[in-house]
Amino acid sequence: MNPPDPITWEVALNEYELYLTIERGLAAKTREDYLRDIHRYADYARYEWEYASPALTTQQHLRDFLFFLGNDCFLSERSIARNISALRSFHGFLMLDEWSQDDPSALLEMPKFSQKLPQTLNIPEVQSILEAVDLTHAQGIRNRTILEVLYSSGLRVSELIHLTWDRIFREEGFVQVIGKGNKERLVPLGEVALKWLDKYQREVRLHIEPKSGHERFVFLNRRGKQLSRVMVFYIVKGAAEQAGIQKKVSPHTFRHSFATHLLEGGADLRAVQEMLGHESITTTEIYLHIDREYLREVIALYHPRK
């Protein structure tokens, strides 16, 4: 008798969601965080390792994934710690339900926490990244549009990849975003981003045959499927490298830069909080610290009593 086939990612993800909901009874917010982290893990595994089952994961695979989160996605220590907790929960579930023979997450170590301000780009750096994108092919136009939308609106990666055409209001200059906890908000889109969206739709998107179930999504890959989070990280990192930027740049760097540049320009903190979709204004206040650093630099450069 042949052994059963390893569990597929699709089945594992569905069963894990049921496990969190029914057996663990986790709060909706905690469950949402775990599932988002595990879906990113699954995207990475299928894209990078190209294997069909989470039961084939080794400890080295998980270390490679955590390195990707820190080195390519530039997640904070706290975010990586949360991802480790999610990985332990997921692989523990696979062991519990006898889908896997061992737990590769058992020996993962939690990172040490340190207080760090978010990495930001100045305006010339943003411009150089935007202009570094190769526009001679369709993916280049798509990638430039992605960067323009990220910088214009401060969207999270998950919000960008789930963006649909019916939520873009061109005449009003707004995009309707489904954020964390399925909360909706309206975010302004600048004229430049809207022009790139029109160019992308006209020259690229209309010529892609979407796969079933992916028709409404704005950004698709070459195969007509919704872009993954991992792919957006690679797009941003590649453009930054092409521009010769030495800083670690991720999609979240564009979000941080969006907020910082607004505050540097005199925007109201409450307005920035609303655009970012922060529940608490204390989360937004971190950008004031960045703004104060900028002000110190101005004084150091221009004040006679520096």
Side-chain angles (χ1 to χ4, degrees):
M1 182 177 178
N2 293 326
D5 292 334
I7 188 172
T8 65
W9 281 104
E10 183 178 5
V11 172
L13 293 170
N14 289 336
E15 292 293 324
Y16 180 60
E17 183 171 4
L18 290 173
Y19 164 75
L20 293 179
T21 305
I22 299 171
E23 296 189 40
R24 291 285 303 278
L26 295 183
K29 177 67 169 60
T30 305
R31 188 171 68 247
E32 179 186 313
D33 287 344
Y34 270 39
L35 289 172
R36 182 177 62 250
D37 291 340
I38 295 303
H39 274 278
R40 173 166 51 195
Y41 164 52
D43 285 344
Y44 180 83
R46 288 179 287 200
Y47 180 87
E48 194 72 22
W49 305 321
E50 298 182 351
Y51 63 72
S53 172
L56 302 175
T57 302
T58 66
Q59 188 179 98
Q60 187 57 52
H61 282 137
L62 294 184
R63 293 189 186 282
D64 290 345
F65 173 63
L66 293 174
F67 181 81
F68 163 76
L69 293 181
N71 193 61
D72 292 331
C73 303
F74 314 121
L75 295 193
S76 67
E77 289 96 339
R78 292 188 182 277
S79 294
I80 291 176
R82 192 196 64 228
N83 274 267
I84 291 174
S85 295
L87 290 170
R88 288 175 174 172
S89 170
F90 178 66
H91 282 283
F93 151 74
L94 293 178
M95 285 280 289
L96 185 68
D97 277 20
E98 300 182 352
W99 293 111
S100 179
Q101 298 300 311
D102 61 285
D103 182 357
S105 69
L107 298 178
L108 293 178
E109 297 179 357
M110 287 291 187
K112 295 179 180 179
F113 296 138
S114 61
Q115 292 293 330
K116 292 182 180 179
L117 293 176
Q119 181 81 273
T120 60
L121 300 164
N122 59 40
I123 294 173
E125 286 172 334
V126 171
Q127 193 62 37
S128 67
I129 291 173
L130 295 173
E131 293 176 353
V133 179
D134 181 4
L135 301 177
T136 60
H137 56 86
Q139 280 68 44
I141 296 173
R142 180 202 62 192
N143 295 350
R144 174 68 182 266
T145 306
I146 286 172
L147 294 172
E148 293 283 358
V149 171
L150 285 173
Y151 181 56
S152 174
S153 60
L155 297 187
R156 300 179 178 95
V157 177
S158 58
E159 295 166 349
L160 178 91
I161 65 174
H162 287 100
L163 188 62
T164 55
W165 290 111
D166 59 311
R167 295 185 180 275
I168 298 173
F169 304 96
R170 286 178 171 82
E171 291 188 9
E172 294 83 358
F174 278 85
V175 58
Q176 187 180 35
V177 178
I178 308 297
K180 290 185 175 180
N182 285 325
K183 292 184 178 180
E184 295 187 3
R185 71 183 190 277
L186 287 174
V187 181
L189 269 181
E191 288 185 15
V192 175
L194 286 169
K195 287 179 180 178
W196 277 99
L197 276 167
D198 287 339
K199 180 179 179 66
Y200 164 67
Q201 184 180 33
R202 184 176 63 254
E203 299 182 17
V204 179
R205 184 61 172 74
L206 289 175
H207 305 287
I208 300 174
E209 185 65 34
K211 296 292 184 182
S212 177
H214 297 256
E215 296 87 353
R216 295 170 62 233
F217 294 119
V218 174
F219 297 110
L220 302 179
N221 61 25
R222 296 179 187 182
R223 299 183 298 277
K225 292 185 176 182
Q226 176 192 24
L227 278 184
S228 69
R229 295 174 179 84
V230 172
M231 192 62 204
V232 177
F233 277 102
Y234 283 138
I235 288 169
V236 173
K237 183 182 179 184
E241 289 176 350
Q242 284 294 114
I245 302 297
Q246 299 300 310
K247 297 176 181 178
K248 292 182 177 181
V249 182
S250 73
H252 228 62
T253 312
F254 274 76
R255 179 171 163 86
H256 295 322
S257 303
F258 163 82
T260 304
H261 296 169
L262 283 175
L263 290 170
E264 287 176 359
D268 178 73
L269 185 64
R270 291 283 181 185
V272 176
Q273 176 194 3
E274 180 69 23
M275 285 184 279
L276 291 174
H278 288 160
E279 285 190 17
S280 171
I281 199 165
T282 57
T283 308
T284 318
E285 283 176 344
I286 190 172
Y287 297 106
L288 287 178
H289 298 300
I290 301 170
D291 191 30
R292 288 171 191 143
E293 289 301 318
Y294 166 77
L295 295 177
R296 288 193 188 97
E297 291 175 9
V298 171
I299 291 173
L301 284 171
Y302 302 113
H303 197 280
R305 295 290 188 183
K306 59 189 176 183

